[in-house]
Amino acid sequence: MKYYSTNHQTPDVTLQDAVVKGLAADKGLFMPERINALPASFFDNMSTMSLQEVAYAVAQAFFGEDIPADKLKQIVYDTMNFDIPLVKVSDNIYSLELFHGPTLAFKDVGARFMARMLGHFVTGQRSTVNVLVATSGDTGSAVANGFLGVEGIHVYVLYPKGKVSLIQEKQFTTLGKNITALEVDGTFDDCQRLVKTAFMDAELNAHMQLTSANSINVARFLPQAFYYFWAVAQLYNIVKETAGNSLQSSIFNLPSSIVCCVPSGNFGNITAGLFGKRMGLPIKRFIAANNRNDIFYNYLQTGQYNPRPSITTIANAMDVGDPSNFARVLALYDGSHSAICQDISGATYTNDEIADEIRRVYETTGYLLDPHGACGYRALREGLQPGETGFFIETAHPAKFKDTVEGIIGQPVAIPQRLQEFMKGTKQSIDMTSRFEDFKAYLLTQ
Ligand SMILES: *Cc1c(COP(=O)(O)O)cnc(C)c1O
């Protein structure tokens, strides 16, 4: 399968090149030239398959031409070795809990998959591949843990000093081995600028092989499609149970009334869901839930895309002022605003509205949302039409935002065991200024 650039100014590349390079030479994002639909027989059986089986079938549609079947199966099975349950929160609204992985956020899926696929592509290569990743918190931990110990790859995590939570910091500064944490005296935007400038620096690229693990990489964003299929399979089983087995076995017999809501920042996650729909997944429509960084929401309303500097909110993983994957959404719909509006609607919430939702849902149902999932839940609660059933992506565990969530519900939030484990490690990081010359000088010594 060939991959083209959304900027169309550079020749198509192989999957291997797309994964190793991350970004196209013309600064566009890579897109697969085709999206293979899954056969009816797959949908007929989907609800009886395991998560790993569903994921492998979807992975074959993406990557089957380019990776030997046994290798691809191993990558998928290693990546998807934790639960992703669909949990009922209220009438007609379900939570797809993507926080049961090692760092308790959905980014574990893409990061673990990408680490294994990149590892596959660099085996036998003489020089090390260096992954640069800028993080405001969650990406760094998922990527660092995903790549830990993968041979032939070194990861540099750049994070803004004093601007990530203690738990988040521990998740990428305590690992050692092939993971180096750089504590940048600046903001997340500074970190991202350092990384982007490094990719464009000829001297640095001659010195070392650099790639990105942000959601621009196809090996990180495409695997996220797996769990949209898994959500529908589980929803089918739940509906079937409550309907007393009166439904027939085909997944197509679900009334196509499923609405999927994705709390969105850089729009990698929702784009993977849109790929799923193209592959035949019976999802009627999507809702992109934003916090006050609602550039996409405004695009839907006006047809104008106006990026602007991000503002800090309590759903901080969605504080993105210029979502990278917007280019992919446009490519998927040939730039047609009306076609995009047919499949996707938007929602935007203030900090107060997010906090109210966490409190309200906790008090009325006992379910504890994190600030990102709260945007997703609220958008479904307000946006579902009669006869529709919704699920939202619960993108992280509420304990990752312990202080915020405790302040809202006025009760302690228990920290899961695997999160506590990280707290025991010793922080190791390298101080870095926000000047590119300093960052470059450091990398040139590596
Ligand atoms: C990254 C992240 C998001 C946003 O996902 P995108 O793919 O960037 O749209 C939402 N919630 C949490 C918890 C995240 O870590």
Side-chain angles (χ1 to χ4, degrees):
M1 176 99 66
K2 292 283 187 208
Y3 287 76
Y4 69 89
S5 162
T6 51
N7 284 347
H8 300 286
Q9 300 298 314
T10 185
D12 293 354
V13 301
T14 61
L15 173 64
Q16 171 157 1
D17 276 350
V19 173
V20 174
K21 295 205 169 84
L23 198 64
D26 62 1
K27 309 283 178 285
L29 275 64
F30 287 119
M31 286 281 276
E33 59 175 350
R34 270 176 292 111
I35 301 176
N36 294 326
L38 284 155
S41 57
F42 166 76
F43 289 103
D44 285 343
N45 294 324
M46 191 167 80
S47 65
T48 63
M49 292 161 75
S50 70
L51 169 60
Q52 289 167 325
E53 287 167 343
V54 169
Y56 179 51
V58 178
Q60 271 187 315
F62 288 137
F63 309 119
E65 293 170 27
D66 300 303
I67 299 195
D70 53 344
K71 184 70 210 177
L72 184 58
K73 188 167 183 176
Q74 187 195 333
I75 292 174
V76 171
Y77 276 57
D78 284 354
T79 300
M80 307 300 285
N81 68 352
F82 50 86
D83 283 349
I84 306 180
L86 187 74
V87 174
K88 183 167 184 167
V89 177
S90 60
D91 279 351
N92 297 327
I93 303 184
Y94 296 81
S95 168
L96 186 69
E97 293 187 346
L98 270 150
F99 55 68
H100 297 275
T103 72
L104 295 90
F106 81 90
K107 291 190 174 71
D108 280 327
V109 172
R112 289 162 64 80
F113 188 92
M114 181 186 162
R116 286 160 179 79
M117 185 178 263
L118 189 58
H120 164 70
F121 282 135
V122 303
T123 13
Q125 197 177 298
R126 270 201 339 259
S127 57
T128 303
V129 172
N130 298 280
V131 173
L132 303 183
V133 61
T135 185
S136 55
D138 281 345
T139 303
S141 48
V143 168
N145 284 275
F147 281 82
L148 183 65
V150 177
E151 238 169 274
I153 300 176
H154 196 100
V155 177
Y156 296 90
V157 180
L158 286 80
Y159 72 102
K161 187 185 182 77
K163 294 192 174 61
V164 304
S165 77
L166 183 62
I167 292 178
Q168 286 175 324
E169 186 177 44
K170 286 274 189 182
Q171 285 181 312
F172 51 76
T173 57
T174 58
L175 300 168
K177 293 190 187 164
N178 59 331
I179 313 296
T180 302
L182 300 174
E183 190 170 5
V184 176
D185 193 3
T187 61
F188 169 67
D189 292 334
D190 289 323
C191 297
Q192 200 149 32
R193 175 177 47 79
L194 291 177
V195 168
K196 284 187 176 160
T197 315
F199 289 134
M200 289 183 287
D201 189 276
E203 191 186 352
L204 211 45
N205 282 276
H207 173 72
M208 63 205 300
Q209 202 175 340
L210 298 175
T211 192
S212 157
N214 286 92
S215 61
I216 52 172
N217 199 301
V218 291
R220 236 196 88 190
F221 104 90
L222 285 176
Q224 296 174 157
F226 299 165
Y227 47 73
Y228 289 87
F229 287 83
W230 177 238
V232 171
Q234 291 183 87
L235 192 55
Y236 173 79
N237 285 327
I238 293 169
V239 171
K240 190 168 132 182
E241 212 164 277
T242 45
N245 277 338
S246 62
L247 292 171
Q248 288 170 27
S249 69
S250 171
I251 203 88
F252 288 118
N253 293 337
L254 261 187
S256 109
S257 60
I258 303 175
V259 180
C260 171
C261 181
V262 189
S264 294
N266 240 337
F267 280 71
N269 201 0
I270 196 169
T271 304
L274 297 169
F275 269 71
K277 185 167 163 67
R278 280 294 163 87
M279 296 163 90
L281 192 59
I283 291 180
K284 181 180 167 192
R285 61 189 183 92
F286 287 81
I287 305 176
N290 283 157
N291 58 28
R292 269 297 127 117
N293 296 283
D294 50 8
I295 293 85
F296 186 78
Y297 176 84
N298 287 324
Y299 165 77
L300 293 175
Q301 310 310 310
T302 65
Q304 304 293 317
Y305 180 75
N306 293 318
R308 49 172 203 263
S310 60
I311 51 174
T312 304
T313 75
I314 59 170
N316 66 317
M318 303 180 350
D319 294 349
V320 180
D322 185 6
S324 328
N325 287 289
F326 181 69
R328 285 195 169 114
V329 177
L330 279 183
L332 212 47
Y333 292 91
D334 283 331
S336 163
H337 177 254
S338 63
I340 291 173
C341 289
Q342 253 174 26
D343 277 1
I344 318 170
S345 62
T348 169
Y349 298 113
T350 63
N351 276 349
D352 284 347
E353 287 168 327
I354 296 169
D356 282 348
E357 200 66 11
I358 293 175
R359 194 180 305 110
R360 207 191 61 81
V361 172
Y362 184 63
E363 283 168 4
T364 57
T365 71
Y367 193 85
L368 187 57
L369 294 161
D370 95 292
H372 308 83
C375 297
Y377 180 88
R378 182 159 183 152
L380 284 176
R381 178 170 71 76
E382 294 178 347
L384 277 186
Q385 307 289 322
E388 290 179 337
T389 301
F391 73 90
F392 65 98
I393 312 282
E394 182 38 299
T395 49
H397 193 286
K400 287 198 93 166
F401 311 93
K402 188 171 161 47
D403 294 347
T404 303
V405 175
E406 286 181 344
I408 292 168
I409 62 169
Q411 286 192 44
V413 173
I415 301 191
Q417 185 59 36
R418 59 198 187 291
L419 205 47
Q420 284 176 28
E421 289 301 318
F422 286 110
M423 302 305 285
K424 294 181 188 154
T426 311
K427 171 179 159 182
Q428 294 168 277
S429 68
I430 291 172
D431 286 322
M432 188 57 61
T433 73
S434 60
R435 291 176 59 237
F436 179 67
E437 294 70 34
D438 293 335
F439 178 50
K440 178 175 172 179
Y442 167 76
L443 286 179
L444 286 173
T445 66
Q446 299 299 298

